[in-house]
Amino acid sequence: MFESRFSDIEIPNVSIYEYLFGSLGADDLERTALIDPATGAETSYGALVAQVNAFAGAMAARGVELNTVIGLLCPNVPAFATVFHGALRLGAVVSTINSLYTAEEIATQLRDAKASWLITVSPLLPQAKAAAAAAGIADDHLIVLDGAEGHPNLRELLTAGQVPPEVSFDPATQLAVLPYSSGTTGVPKGVMLTHRNLVANVDQSRAIISLVPEDRVLAVLPFFHIYGMTVLLNLALRQRSSLVTMPKFDLVEFLNNIQNFKCTFLFIAPPIAVALAKHPIVDQFDISSVHTLFSGAAPLDGETGEAAASRLHARMLQGYGMTELSPVSHAMVASRTDVPVSSIGELLPNMRAKLVDVATGAEITELGENGETLPGELWVSGPNVMVGYLGRPEATAETIDADGFLQTGDVAVYHEGGYFSIVDRVKELIKYKGYQIAPAELEALLLSHPKVMDVACIGVLDEDKQEIPKAFVVAAPDSGLTAEEVMEFVASHVAPHKKVRRVEFIDQIPKSSSGKIMRRDLRAREAAAAG
């Protein structure tokens, strides 16, 4: 078993509301918590707490109480923080919903979570209204933050003058949020995270991720995703930093916001790192205020990470986590220069980890002559591990063992310097003539090619029904890149069994809102082409 080199910290036994806002000092109240680039409007910490309490009071007056489940379908706008923490202030459970979901997908989540309220914004009202109707949520329980006829809105709730009730619960057992995740496989499942889970993970992250009050964080990664929820929203608020909210990613707007608001700390996913490393438009903006880039949600190859860092004259860090871990288990330490960007860094305080041989189930503990272990599935335990999957005890038991270790489904290696690297997903390894090939390795290599803008690799079947590696490539505009060039480039850098044997050029790699490659979409595309 591997343990964090950081001493365990004592996790405060308080609600997430008390943890984030209970220690605000007089100086903190005047600090800027949120900035809306669309209007330039700023919300101070004092104003935010007042709004959180006002929203909590208004919702309590309308019958929201301990364990009421509220669906939240909302992009990154300042009001998200108000309603999210206002609901948690009451002991209600918030189920955050992907803003890109269809009405059917929203309704499925609302029904599964047993939500009796839904909060949204007018641009998403058509699908929200249809989903609410399908889930049995009445119009007076469908809040449209910016206003829509026949529905409560944020202004009327905040001006209702209601004082929130005193609420008492055990932070260790009281559910706070119910985001949805497919886990290592299968359909999306409600991930039960308690107040203690959220408090613990912010406190653990503070030990490694060095945000300070003077930082301005560009919040483009969605708050509805656990990465955005914990590492952007909650961590930034706890550290009294300022959040510049972005409802969706647009590279020009992203760069413009950095320039205009002097953002210093960027939490990103690998696709943004690729753009920062390669897109010519980056040079047209003054983004010299940025001192740190922190990538998560999917593996970032070292070359792209270093290229982005070099171009911005900033440090590039990487972390690792998953929804079931609230989400962070590993992160790079900014002060260490001996840890490669391609790694996920070290275990956070209070974390333990195992590497388990995928084939035999045996624990991997020995370092080889190269100073690292053999690859194994990463298992982790700590105070941030979820309670379980909502209504799915069997899936929970398959994911968390009797000792509290959560099986991540990711294959990792441990290095003698105390840090880890992700090799790939257990289910995504390509097996060519008995040899295992990690798609992430091929992708990292191909991203180093100057004519490759983005890439994803999967295993496909050849004429003999044997699995071979195939690369889906987004070529740089007017580069004239050919399939032969791609295959020859890979062949010149890898062992023969790792060669890419098929190439398809596409306009865009399908990715989730958190930046993970949606390989199932590529497999479906391949199956459709095969007829």
Side-chain angles (χ1 to χ4, degrees):
M1 184 167 65
F2 304 99
E3 299 193 3
S4 173
R5 71 179 177 92
F6 296 92
S7 299
D8 282 358
I9 55 178
E10 185 175 346
I11 308 300
N13 189 39
V14 295
S15 70
I16 189 69
Y17 170 86
E18 180 64 24
Y19 175 73
L20 294 182
F21 305 118
S23 62
L24 282 170
D27 291 343
D28 294 328
L29 296 176
E30 300 303 317
R31 289 188 181 278
T32 299
L34 298 152
I35 301 172
D36 184 355
T39 62
E42 298 187 0
T43 305
S44 70
Y45 274 88
L48 175 59
V49 173
Q51 290 174 12
V52 166
N53 286 329
F55 182 77
M59 294 300 283
R62 290 173 180 245
V64 173
E65 57 187 4
L66 206 65
N67 297 316
T68 298
V69 181
I70 299 173
L72 179 54
L73 176 71
C74 181
N76 286 15
V77 292
F80 188 109
T82 297
V83 299
F84 179 73
H85 283 296
L88 296 184
R89 164 82 170 75
L90 293 174
V93 182
V94 179
S95 187
T96 50
I97 305 170
N98 190 323
S99 296
L100 301 178
Y101 269 9
T102 64
E104 184 177 352
E105 290 170 321
I106 297 165
T108 297
Q109 181 168 329
L110 292 173
R111 283 192 295 258
D112 191 74
K114 296 180 173 56
S116 55
W117 289 80
L118 177 60
I119 301 173
T120 192
V121 291
S122 58
L124 303 178
L125 183 55
Q127 55 267 52
K129 195 173 180 69
I137 296 175
D139 282 354
D140 64 346
H141 279 211
L142 173 55
I143 298 170
V144 183
L145 295 176
D146 51 341
E149 188 175 349
H151 301 280
N153 62 62
L154 185 58
R155 180 182 296 276
E156 68 182 73
L157 292 168
L158 294 183
T159 57
Q162 301 286 348
V163 177
E166 289 302 318
V167 181
S168 178
F169 53 76
D170 179 1
T173 58
Q174 178 61 40
L175 293 189
V177 294
L178 196 60
Y180 274 65
S181 166
S182 296
T184 57
T185 184
V187 299
K189 298 173 282 290
V191 177
M192 298 188 289
L193 300 177
T194 65
H195 282 257
R196 179 175 174 80
N197 286 149
L198 298 187
V199 168
N201 206 223
V202 174
D203 226 36
Q204 291 170 292
S205 297
R206 292 177 69 207
I208 291 185
I209 303 173
S210 51
L211 272 183
V212 297
E214 290 69 33
D215 276 318
R216 284 194 164 185
V217 178
L218 186 52
V220 67
L221 297 180
F223 294 151
F224 64 72
H225 185 270
I226 191 66
Y227 179 12
M229 186 191 301
T230 291
V231 184
L232 273 77
L233 181 62
N234 289 348
L235 177 61
L237 292 178
R238 181 62 182 82
Q239 299 303 92
R240 315 308 182 213
S241 305
S242 300
L243 282 161
V244 179
T245 59
M246 282 188 68
K248 63 179 180 179
F249 177 73
D250 174 89
L251 182 57
V252 172
E253 187 179 345
F254 180 82
L255 296 168
N256 212 37
N257 285 337
I258 297 172
Q259 178 176 274
N260 291 344
F261 297 99
K262 306 299 181 193
C263 297
T264 60
F265 209 118
L266 307 182
F267 289 101
I268 60 173
I272 298 176
V274 171
L276 292 174
K278 296 195 170 190
H279 204 292
I281 202 171
V282 174
D283 295 327
Q284 297 178 22
F285 293 83
D286 177 7
I287 53 177
S288 57
S289 58
V290 176
H291 60 67
T292 302
L293 301 147
F294 188 101
S295 183
L300 173 68
D301 71 281
E303 191 155 346
T304 297
E306 288 167 5
S310 175
R311 195 173 188 191
L312 271 67
H313 305 290
R315 60 189 175 193
M316 173 66 82
L317 307 174
Q318 186 168 187
Y320 171 83
M322 54 193 298
T323 307
E324 291 83 349
L325 295 172
S326 306
V328 191
S329 62
H330 297 68
M332 290 177 63
V333 180
S335 60
R336 289 192 67 174
T337 58
D338 60 325
V339 178
V341 170
S342 57
S343 84
I344 57 171
E346 305 179 50
L347 283 164
L348 267 59
N350 302 62
M351 297 300 300
R352 314 287 182 267
K354 298 178 184 180
L355 293 178
V356 178
D357 188 290
V358 175
T360 66
E363 279 191 48
I364 298 169
T365 57
E366 299 295 323
L367 291 174
E369 293 182 2
N370 59 354
E372 61 186 47
T373 65
L374 291 171
E377 184 182 6
L378 179 64
W379 294 20
V380 293
S381 72
N384 51 323
V385 174
M386 67 171 180
V387 174
Y389 293 119
L390 178 69
R392 291 172 169 82
E394 291 182 2
T396 301
E398 290 170 1
T399 305
I400 304 174
D401 73 4
D403 297 321
F405 278 85
L406 184 139
Q407 303 169 36
T408 68
D410 282 309
V411 179
V413 296
Y414 172 83
H415 306 268
E416 61 184 348
Y419 59 92
F420 293 73
S421 296
I422 296 296
V423 179
D424 222 307
R425 299 286 292 169
V426 171
K427 300 293 185 183
E428 292 175 355
L429 291 172
I430 301 167
K431 208 161 190 178
Y432 175 74
K433 295 186 176 179
Y435 291 99
Q436 289 187 337
I437 305 166
E441 181 182 355
L442 299 178
E443 290 155 2
L445 173 60
L446 281 167
L447 281 170
S448 71
H449 193 293
K451 294 182 181 180
V452 174
M453 291 295 290
D454 208 354
V455 63
C457 297
I458 64 170
V460 300
L461 299 181
D462 64 10
E463 294 78 10
D464 297 324
K465 304 299 181 185
Q466 298 299 307
E467 197 171 43
I468 58 173
K470 176 175 179 176
F472 291 85
V473 176
V474 179
D478 304 317
S479 64
L481 182 66
T482 66
E484 289 71 25
E485 276 185 81
V486 171
M487 290 188 283
E488 288 171 7
F489 177 78
V490 175
S492 67
H493 288 85
V494 301
H497 71 273
K498 294 184 180 179
K499 291 194 297 186
V500 167
R501 294 164 196 276
R502 285 188 192 164
V503 175
E504 181 176 339
F505 293 100
I506 57 177
D507 294 330
Q508 186 176 17
I509 301 298
K511 293 179 180 176
S512 69
S513 58
S514 62
K516 291 182 180 178
I517 295 171
M518 298 173 71
R519 298 186 201 276
R520 64 179 181 273
D521 287 10
L522 295 174
R523 294 190 186 99
R525 178 190 182 104
E526 189 70 15

